[in-house]
Structure formats: structure tokens, C-alpha cells
Amino acid sequence: MIQKILIANRGEIALRIVRACRELGIKTLAVYSEADVQSLHVQLADEAICIGGPRSADSYLRADRIISAAEIGDVDAIHPGYGFLSENAKFAEQCESCNIKFIGPKSAVISTMGDKAKAKETVKKAGVPTVPGSDGTVDSEDEAIKIARKIGYPVIIKAVAGGGGRGMRIAHNNVSFAKEFHSARNEAEQVFGNAEVYIEKYIDKPRHIEFQILADNHGKVLHIGERDCSVQRRHQKLIEESPSPFLTSDLRKKMGKAAVKAAAAAGYTNAGTIEYIVDGKGNFYFIEMNTRIQVEHPVTEEMTGIDLIKEQIRIANGDKLSFSQRDIKFDRHAIECRINAEDPARNFIPSPGTIGLYYAPGGHGVRVDSHVYGGYVIPSHYDSMIGKLICYGRDRKTAIERMYRALSEYIIRGVKTTIPLHKAIMSDPVFIEGKATTAYMEEFMNRTPSDLFNSD
Ligand code: ADP
């Protein structure tokens, strides 16, 4: 039985894991950088060990120090959260070889599904639709241009190791293709240490709809419904909701079945996400699998009542999933707004600093996942997300009205945040009518005066 878990992460997800462990009676060991001494996850975990300097490369990305901390702390398992080492097959393998359970899929599965070109090939073989494009990676510019012409412009050039919207470029013709091809490769090399790219047809104004998967070590693979993550800025999600206002129940069934088939074909275990883009006609295409828990997982939790972090721990412990596909009830609507310390009135420039007055909203159907508090200093070393506000209710209208109400109550002084932006979106007719595609944010920002986003 798992009795003690090391949490190889920081911020709200580290706190989220501490909370799940506490409810399961499992002890927690937090690791933290010198910049995170004040962080709530450090204060609320049973034990904490400092693993290095503020830079991620000196702490949260140091597999060797994390494994040493796990050995000193005598833990049974490591939960990697999202980001950092969560999709690092080598780290998962190191855990496996030290007899520490990695709370996620097997390292070999991370290797395959973490490589976006290999993942596409795997699910394509299983009969899941993928975006038309190159067969695997393309190294030479000449070959790449030929493929792009064959696919037909516009095309999107994507890094196999990509994530967080980095290493992706769109090209509209042969001239821009050469430039974008090299800049995608350069960015991929710099950010991921791997320049390999592949090419896909660029689908016009799609929706991003993903399916949550849970799979145990006894052959059961289930999907826990979808999340519509079409509200994105520069390919980064800002708002997620479930169910998607776009899907008919027929299409939902088809996409859910395909997601289960894709995960099963990969030999997947634990929690993961099958991501699709869907065009205006309802054609759906697999784009990638995330082999970890995702930022937006609370949307699924509040829509279904299933605690995904606890399920991850139970699966890693070797337990069987205690429910079947038919038992899962999709009977609520949930929305999540990412609260970032950024200034939406000034091109989303990061706004680190000290939080003054802090008051989080509450009441019926409101959940706040955040590690910050009044007096907390937001370090400049990490991403700018300082919390997630999740609101849910019996239907979409209730969830939107509740979100607007909760955003209006949320007070975070001292830094700029995305709260005013979310309020404006919650009262925007295009969003309210459920018509947002991935092109929505750009169009919304262009037609909305930026002084509306001022949090002062
Ligand atoms: P990352 O791993 O960096 O998040 P993804 O492959 O998940 O990259 O894509 C992120 C976003 O980029 C998608 O949600 C979608 O908005 C856009 N995108 C990706 N592939 C395509 C495509 N072929 N056509 C149109 N948009 C795409």
C-alpha cells in the first residue's frame, strides 16, 4: 500500500495533491526551491525538503535531487503533477528502477505518446482519425516544402517534443514556409532540446475538445467525458468547460469511443488526455495525448464528482477502477477560468510581485484551487498562473452566471490579473451562445477596448 508520496511539483497542483493525500490518509513530502519557501504546499505537506535554487533547472527539473529526497524521505511513490518532469520518460524510468512508484503511465508509454509524431502514428494504426499531414518527422526543407504543397496551405509545423503552444508555426505559402520551418525548428531546439518537427494541415477555426481517460493496470480503460478548451491565447488555454456546448450526444459517443481506443492502443495506464481538434462540420482529429494530469482536470471532477487525483493514486497502487463507463454521470456543467498574474490590458505582460489584500470567492458551486494568499510573493521564475476558479451548476447558463458572480467577488490586490478579462468574456454574447472556436480570443481582443481589462 502507498503510505507516503513525494510531490515533485509546486504551486496549486502540489497543494491539490497534498489535499487528496490527506483525505486518503497518505503522508506527503513536498520538495521546493529557494523561491518557494513561503508556498502553501510547503506549509501544508507533512514534510518538506529544499532541493535547490529558484530556477527550475536547479530544482524542479533536477531528477537526481528529487530521487535523493525520495530516498531520504522513504516514500513509496512520486506524483509529478503537470509540467516539469511529468512527461519525462527518463524520470519515470529512474523512479521505476529505484522501486518508487511513478504516479502516471509506464515510462515506455510516455516515450511513445510524449513524441507527438509517434503518438499520431500509434492512434492512426488503431483507426482513430488524425489531421492529414506528413508521415512522421521531416528534416530537410526541400522535402518539407513538397509535403506542405501536397497537403495544401495553410499548414502548421509542430515540434514532436512540443508543449504549451511552443515550437508551432503556421505557413500560408511556399515563401513563408521556409522561414516558419526554420523558426519552428530553432524554437523546438531551444525550448525542448529536440529540433524535430512534423507538418499538419492547418484546420480553419477548429474547437479544441479533449477527453479525460482513466485506465487501471487490469485492462479497464474509461473516458470521463470531454473538456472544451477552445478559448486559448497563442495556443495556451485560458478557459475550459465540460460538457462542450458544440457536441451532439452522437458525436460525443463517437469521440469518447475513439479516445478509449487510442489509449488502449498505446497500452495506457493511469490518467491521461486525448486531445482533438474538431472542425465546423463535426469532423474530429486526434492531435496529441497528454500523459499526465492536466491543469483543467477540476472541470471534469466537478462535472462528474470523480476525484481524479485520488483515482491516479489508487491506480498506481494497483487497485481496480471501482466503476464502469455506464456508472459515470455527466449531469452538471463546469467551467474553469485560469487566474494568471498578467496584465491583459498590456499584452498579457507577467505581473509578479507581492499580493496585498486577497479575498477568494465562495458559496454554492464555487471552487478555488490556488496556493496564494495575502502577503504571498509571486516569484518571477515560474509560469504566471496563480490559481483556478471553477464554477459549476445544473446547466451551462447557471455555471456562466455563477462564474461572473464569483469573479466579481474575487479580490487580488498588488498585482494585475486576468480576472477582469474573464468577466468580460463571461458577459460576451459569442461565448454565452457557445460559439467560441480557437480563433475566438484574437477576435475578442480586437473588438474589446483594453481599459475594460484594468483591475485597478
Ligand atoms: P501543445 O502540445 O503545444 O499544447 P497541441 O498540439 O496540443 O500543442 O496544439 C495546441 C493548439 O494549437 C490546439 O489546441 C489548437 O488550437 C492549435 N492547433 C494544433 N494543431 C492544429 C491544426 N492542425 N490546425 C489548427 N489548429 C491547430
Side-chain angles (χ1 to χ4, degrees):
M1 278 296 289
I2 293 177
Q3 285 172 356
K4 189 172 178 187
I5 291 177
L6 180 150
I7 300 159
N9 216 298
R10 65 177 299 280
E12 68 84 22
I13 192 64
L15 186 58
R16 168 75 188 89
I17 299 163
V18 168
R19 286 173 169 157
C21 288
R22 188 142 294 165
E23 287 176 20
L24 290 171
I26 294 171
K27 292 253 171 290
T28 49
L29 168 61
V31 292
Y32 62 99
S33 77
E34 284 159 10
D36 274 339
V37 179
Q38 288 192 327
S39 193
L40 264 189
H41 84 277
V42 178
Q43 296 174 41
L44 291 184
D46 296 305
E47 295 166 30
I49 297 181
C50 181
I51 50 165
R55 285 180 350 132
S56 304
D58 296 330
S59 49
Y60 299 107
L61 290 173
R62 287 291 298 262
D64 54 340
R65 293 190 185 165
I66 293 170
I67 299 271
S68 301
E71 278 170 346
I72 293 166
D74 197 20
V75 304
D76 310 297
I78 294 184
H79 197 306
Y82 51 69
F84 298 123
L85 296 171
S86 62
E87 293 187 281
N88 185 313
K90 219 169 133 196
F91 178 61
E93 197 184 317
Q94 277 173 297
C95 294
E96 286 161 12
S97 64
C98 293
N99 253 333
I100 300 166
K101 290 192 166 86
F102 176 81
I103 303 179
K106 300 263 176 301
S107 57
V109 176
I110 302 179
S111 283
T112 310
M113 298 311 272
D115 177 313
K116 290 165 82 171
K118 278 191 205 152
K120 240 182 120 171
E121 204 184 306
T122 308
V123 307
K124 200 173 162 185
K125 269 194 204 143
V128 176
T130 57
V131 189
S134 59
D135 284 329
T137 58
V138 191
D139 301 329
S140 89
E141 185 187 315
D142 286 352
E143 191 199 346
I145 285 210
K146 270 189 215 146
I147 293 169
R149 260 209 209 114
K150 206 169 128 201
I151 299 169
Y153 290 105
V155 298
I156 182 164
I157 305 149
K158 299 168 82 171
V160 289
R166 308 292 299 273
M168 263 190 301
R169 292 285 187 283
I170 299 153
H172 293 274
N173 51 50
N174 284 344
V175 182
S176 69
F177 184 87
K179 186 175 142 259
E180 302 302 350
F181 180 72
H182 291 292
S183 78
R185 282 179 64 89
N186 284 342
E187 188 177 48
E189 175 68 53
Q190 266 174 30
V191 183
F192 309 110
N194 178 357
E196 286 185 310
V197 296
Y198 61 106
I199 304 167
E200 265 177 7
K201 175 87 188 156
Y202 185 68
I203 307 288
D204 186 41
K205 299 192 172 90
R207 284 168 190 264
H208 174 116
I209 299 176
E210 58 188 33
F211 277 73
Q212 176 67 53
I213 294 290
L214 280 180
D216 64 19
N217 292 290
H218 306 273
K220 198 188 252 183
V221 185
L222 306 176
H223 78 77
I224 323 291
E226 82 275 10
R227 294 182 287 256
D228 191 321
C229 313
S230 301
V231 180
Q232 307 180 346
R233 182 178 168 270
R234 298 196 175 155
H235 308 306
Q236 290 241 42
K237 299 162 189 166
L238 259 177
I239 297 173
E240 303 94 349
E241 65 179 304
S242 186
S244 164
F246 181 73
L247 292 192
T248 58
S249 67
D250 262 11
L251 189 50
R252 177 172 297 115
K253 260 191 209 139
K254 248 201 231 167
M255 291 173 70
K257 263 195 180 158
V260 166
K261 207 156 72 167
Y268 201 83
T269 51
N270 215 289
T273 300
I274 298 289
E275 295 195 337
Y276 298 110
I277 46 177
V278 187
D279 70 15
K281 292 188 189 128
N283 297 307
F284 65 94
Y285 308 95
F286 168 92
I287 49 169
E288 68 161 340
M289 178 167 203
N290 285 315
T291 59
R292 55 172 165 80
I293 196 72
Q294 283 191 276
V295 173
E296 59 271 26
H297 76 275
V299 164
T300 302
E301 295 186 324
E302 298 312 333
M303 197 258 296
T304 59
I306 294 171
D307 185 320
L308 291 170
I309 304 287
K310 283 187 188 166
E311 292 303 331
Q312 282 196 292
I313 296 171
R314 290 191 186 112
I315 290 169
N317 194 48
D319 298 0
K320 285 185 176 169
L321 279 166
S322 64
F323 47 88
S324 62
Q325 193 69 57
R326 247 181 285 127
D327 300 328
I328 305 167
K329 298 265 174 296
F330 304 109
D331 52 6
R332 285 197 294 210
H333 197 100
I335 305 181
E336 171 181 281
C337 288
R338 296 193 187 193
I339 313 299
N340 298 338
E342 292 169 354
D343 187 355
R346 288 174 57 223
N347 207 22
F348 294 82
I349 184 170
S351 179
T354 305
I355 294 180
L357 179 66
Y358 179 84
Y359 175 80
H364 189 194
V366 177
R367 164 173 170 182
V368 177
D369 277 19
S370 174
H371 58 293
V372 310
Y373 50 85
Y376 175 79
V377 182
I378 303 166
S380 56
H381 311 276
Y382 313 108
D383 79 30
S384 55
M385 198 181 75
I386 54 169
K388 306 182 304 203
L389 174 58
I390 304 101
C391 292
Y392 49 95
R394 60 194 306 172
D395 53 27
R396 188 166 188 266
K397 184 169 180 285
T398 312
I400 293 175
E401 287 164 0
R402 190 161 281 158
M403 181 62 85
Y404 188 87
R405 184 272 287 174
L407 287 162
S408 309
E409 275 177 32
Y410 212 159
I411 301 171
I412 305 178
R413 297 259 190 273
V415 296
K416 302 281 186 190
T417 74
T418 46
I419 291 173
L421 169 79
H422 287 305
K423 273 180 75 177
I425 295 175
M426 290 303 133
S427 44
D428 180 45
V430 180
F431 179 79
I432 291 173
E433 283 164 29
K435 297 219 170 98
T437 68
T438 59
Y440 169 74
M441 266 307 282
E442 200 178 335
E443 177 265 325
F444 174 78
M445 294 304 285
N446 284 340
R447 68 175 152 84
T448 311
S450 63
D451 52 355
L452 215 69
F453 308 139
N454 221 322
S455 42
D456 294 333

